[in-house]
Amino acid sequence: NAGVTQTPKFRVLKTGQSMTLLCAQDMNHEYMYWYRQDPGMGLRLIHYSVGEGTTAKGEVPDGYNVSRLKKQNFLLGLESAAPSQTSVYFCASSYRRRGGLAADTQYFGPGTRLTVL
Amino acid sequence: GQNIDQPTEMTATEGAIVQINCTYQTSGFNGLFWYQQHAGEAPTFLSYNVLDGLEEKGRFSSFLSRSKGYSYLLLKELQMKDSASYLCAVRDGGSQGNLIFGKGTKLSVKP
C-alpha cells in the first residue's frame, strides 16, 4: 500500500496563475482533508470531504476549491494564486467515524511545498 | 472559541524523560490526538485519548484530564531520533469531528 500520495512535491507559481494539487489514497478511506501548514500557525483545515461527490469548507477555505469525483482522489485547486498562499499543503484521509469513541486516525501524505511569487 | 496551547520549543538530553503539555478550550470534545512530525516530513500518529487516564505505548505515554482540559505526552529514554515537532490535536464535538491542531512543540534532543 502506498498510503496517501500527493502530486507535485514542489511547485513555484507566479501571482495569478492557477494549479491543482492531487491527493490519492489506497486505503479505501471515506474521509479526506486538505490542510495548510505555516510557520507558527500549525495545521489549518482548508476543505474536507466525507465521501465521494461531497465537499465542505474548513477553517480557511477562501481562495481554494476542491473536488472529490472518485473516492480515492481529492483535488485542491487554486484559481488565482496569491503570495499569501505560499505554504506547505498536506492531504490526509481517515475511515468514517463509527461512534464517539472511535479513534479514526488521520493518515497524512508527504506534503506539497508551494511558493507563490 | 477554539484554543489549543502547547509550548513552542523544548530541549532535553538523550536518555532522559520529557513531558510535553497541551491545554485546550474547545466548543466540544471527542478525543485528543498526538502526532509526531520530523522536519520536512508528514505528521504521523502517536497516540489517542478519549477517556481520562494514561495510555502507554512503548517509550511514549499520553495522559488526558477532560475536566481540566489538559493532556501531556511523556517520552522516556529519549533518543536523538525523537527530535521532532509534536502536535496536539482535539477532535471537536461537531457532527464531522474535525481535528483542531495546536501549533506544535519543537523538541530538540541533545547528546
Side-chain angles (χ1 to χ4, degrees):
Chain A
N1 283 356
V4 181
T5 58
Q6 292 183 232
T7 309
K9 289 186 169 56
F10 302 92
R11 186 73 185 267
V12 177
L13 289 178
K14 295 181 180 178
T15 297
Q17 287 185 317
S18 63
M19 78 164 295
T20 300
L21 282 68
L22 172 63
C23 175
Q25 52 94 5
D26 62 1
M27 296 177 283
N28 202 33
H29 285 167
E30 289 288 341
Y31 283 32
M32 295 188 75
Y33 313 82
W34 275 108
Y35 293 90
R36 61 177 291 173
Q37 187 174 41
D38 303 291
M41 296 295 293
L43 282 161
R44 292 182 292 169
L45 184 64
I46 304 171
H47 286 280
Y48 63 99
S49 168
V50 301
E52 183 178 326
T54 70
T55 63
K57 295 180 180 179
E59 179 188 354
V60 289
D62 294 343
Y64 305 95
N65 56 75
V66 288
S67 64
R68 183 100 181 267
L69 298 180
K70 294 182 179 180
K71 185 177 183 179
Q72 63 268 33
N73 295 338
F74 195 28
L75 279 62
L76 178 72
L78 287 73
E79 289 187 351
S80 179
S84 60
Q85 294 178 303
T86 294
S87 187
V88 180
Y89 291 86
F90 286 102
C91 175
S93 68
S94 69
Y95 286 111
R96 184 190 295 277
R97 288 181 61 214
R98 296 180 182 83
L101 299 184
D104 295 312
T105 303
Q106 292 187 19
Y107 295 87
F108 284 80
T112 296
R113 281 150 184 78
L114 175 66
T115 301
V116 183
L117 302 176
Chain B
Q2 318 269 50
N3 193 46
I4 299 177
D5 284 321
Q6 44 181 138
T8 303
E9 293 186 40
M10 298 183 71
T11 303
T13 304
E14 192 176 15
I17 299 173
V18 71
Q19 178 175 311
I20 302 174
N21 296 325
C22 172
T23 58
Y24 62 89
Q25 291 175 306
T26 56
S27 56
F29 179 84
N30 211 349
L32 186 144
F33 292 77
W34 284 95
Y35 280 82
Q36 181 189 59
Q37 185 177 25
H38 285 99
E41 297 184 8
T44 55
F45 170 75
L46 281 180
S47 69
Y48 170 74
N49 295 72
V50 67
L51 301 177
D52 291 350
L54 190 68
E55 293 283 340
E56 297 188 80
K57 191 185 291 186
R59 293 189 298 114
F60 294 4
S61 303
S62 56
F63 171 84
L64 175 67
S65 169
R66 288 171 296 171
S67 63
K68 296 182 179 178
Y70 168 68
S71 172
Y72 67 72
L73 180 69
L74 193 71
L75 291 75
K76 303 176 186 176
E77 303 170 12
L78 280 173
Q79 302 175 9
M80 299 298 291
K81 67 178 182 179
D82 297 329
S83 292
S85 289
Y86 292 85
L87 314 180
C88 173
V90 172
R91 188 160 70 191
D92 72 29
S95 60
Q96 303 304 336
N98 291 327
L99 292 183
I100 305 160
F101 282 85
K103 295 178 181 179
T105 299
K106 184 178 180 182
L107 174 66
S108 298
V109 180
K110 308 292 185 186

